[in-house]
Amino acid sequence: MSKNGGEMKSKLNQTISLIFVLLLGCVGAIAEVSGVEAVTRPSKDVTIAFLRSGRIATMPVKVGAKVQEGQIVAELEDSAEQIQVKQLKLKSEDQTLVRARQASLDQAKVELKKIKKAFKTGASTELEVERAVLQVTMAKAELDLAEFQLTLAKLQYEEAKAQADRMKLKSPANGTVEAIMIDAGEAVDMQMKPVMRIVQIDPMWIDTPVPLLQGKKLLPGGDALVDFDFGDKETRKGKIVHVSSVADPASETLWVRVEVQNASMRPSGETVRVRFVEVENVGGDDVKSQLDQSKSGSE
């Protein structure tokens, strides 16, 4: 190959590389301007089940009910467990044996004191003193054992309460009862049969792949704009809550999670557009201005 031919080939390769870089920049710019399409989903979507077998006695909620975290949504029949709890409660509060052992120790100490006094005057023997000392030691050990048994009874009572508490199914989050898989009166087994599905859509989450060049600039706590267009156009401000630390090499993207407040309870599953660049280098007033313009446009 001639020298001129080599220079032409080198210039051609440089031109192709430059065009490729420009194209990548254009693709990134287009993605930044137009945003990324994604689908909203609940921030919590859990299926709950009992941790033990039994028969469902009550289910005070229905499909569509709003529930609070910790609220009881179903209960197993627990009459036997409640009786056991009462028995162990009485046992854990019974101080009779401890008082009796304390009295025995006090009596042994009094007898030891008398025998020692008598020993000084020759009215008792050294053996009697040793026996009195041993009686005090034994009485003290019996008192320690009674106190240990009382402590053990209290722990057994706490365990029984915990077991009885497992007969109650509680909501793990604020949300809505989306589905009920079993009715009151039916039996549940130890196979963790699902009882209820609870979803939380306020706030909502949006998981979306973002071009790597753009995604590397995003940080948790950063702002995002989410464009809804389901019946009416609406733009809401969201917060970045997670940026994946592992990129997808095939698509050269990073997964980013955005959290959006949803007081109006829009259903999840909508297709939305998520924009990051518009709010990346602007202040709060500019973000508010964009939201106001979006609302004015929808009106």
Side-chain angles (χ1 to χ4, degrees):
M1 180 181 293
S2 65
K3 182 177 180 180
N4 291 336
E7 290 179 351
M8 291 179 63
K9 185 175 181 180
S10 176
K11 290 181 179 179
L12 179 61
N13 289 337
Q14 291 177 1
T15 302
I16 292 174
S17 298
L18 180 59
I19 293 173
F20 182 70
V21 170
L22 290 173
L23 285 174
L24 283 178
C26 291
V27 170
I30 291 172
E32 291 178 351
V33 171
S34 63
V36 183
E37 283 196 356
V39 177
T40 62
R41 72 179 186 87
S43 54
K44 281 190 169 93
D45 188 343
V46 292
T47 300
I48 55 178
F50 284 103
L51 297 177
R52 56 182 302 173
S53 58
R55 181 181 63 82
I56 294 183
T58 61
M59 187 173 290
V61 298
K62 298 180 180 179
V63 173
K66 306 297 181 185
V67 295
Q68 301 296 314
E69 182 177 356
Q71 178 180 336
I72 296 174
V73 294
E75 294 183 80
L76 294 178
E77 201 284 319
D78 64 347
S79 56
E81 285 76 12
Q82 291 302 326
I83 291 174
Q84 185 180 23
V85 167
K86 290 178 181 178
Q87 290 175 341
L88 291 175
K89 184 176 186 294
L90 292 173
K91 189 175 180 181
S92 69
E93 296 172 347
D94 185 9
Q95 300 276 341
T96 304
L97 185 59
V98 173
R99 290 198 300 268
R101 298 307 184 199
Q102 182 65 60
S104 296
L105 176 60
D106 293 341
Q107 182 180 0
K109 288 180 177 179
V110 170
E111 291 178 355
L112 174 61
K113 185 177 180 180
K114 289 181 178 180
I115 291 175
K116 282 184 175 181
K117 185 177 181 180
F119 178 73
K120 291 180 180 180
T121 61
S124 66
T125 65
E126 184 176 350
L127 179 60
E128 290 175 323
V129 173
E130 291 177 353
R131 285 178 177 174
V133 170
L134 182 59
Q135 287 295 325
V136 171
T137 302
M138 292 177 61
K140 178 64 169 63
E142 290 176 347
L143 174 60
D144 291 342
L145 179 59
E147 290 177 340
F148 170 75
Q149 290 174 334
L150 185 61
T151 300
L152 190 61
K154 292 178 179 178
L155 292 175
Q156 291 172 337
Y157 168 58
E158 293 298 327
E159 181 186 10
K161 284 201 302 180
Q163 291 293 345
D165 194 55
R166 289 187 175 186
M167 309 294 280
K168 298 177 176 61
L169 193 60
K170 299 178 181 179
S171 174
N174 299 335
T176 304
V177 178
E178 189 70 14
I180 295 177
M181 296 80 165
I182 191 169
D183 294 326
E186 293 188 56
V188 294
D189 52 29
M190 296 298 291
Q191 302 302 315
M192 298 292 291
K193 182 178 180 181
V195 174
M196 193 175 297
R197 179 188 176 197
I198 296 176
V199 298
Q200 182 181 37
I201 60 173
D202 182 21
M204 286 193 297
W205 281 351
I206 305 165
D207 292 334
T208 179
V210 177
L212 184 58
L213 292 177
Q214 183 185 7
K216 290 192 296 184
K217 302 175 185 177
L218 303 178
L219 294 173
D223 293 324
L225 289 178
V226 181
D227 299 324
F228 293 82
D229 189 14
F230 184 72
D232 61 319
K233 292 184 178 180
E234 181 184 3
T235 297
R236 294 182 185 176
K237 182 180 175 181
K239 285 287 183 183
I240 299 171
V241 294
H242 177 68
V243 178
S244 176
S245 57
V246 180
D248 180 5
S251 62
E252 293 190 350
T253 57
L254 276 176
W255 278 95
V256 177
R257 174 171 292 169
V258 174
E259 184 176 278
V260 182
Q261 298 303 313
N262 186 29
S264 63
M265 303 301 286
R266 294 183 75 115
S268 63
E270 278 189 73
T271 299
V272 296
R273 183 179 61 168
V274 183
R275 293 178 285 145
F276 302 98
V277 170
E278 289 85 349
V279 296
E280 182 178 12
N281 298 315
V282 297
D285 292 339
D286 292 328
V287 173
K288 184 176 183 300
S289 176
Q290 291 188 46
L291 291 171
D292 291 340
Q293 290 175 9
S294 174
K295 291 179 180 178
S296 298
S298 64
E299 292 175 355

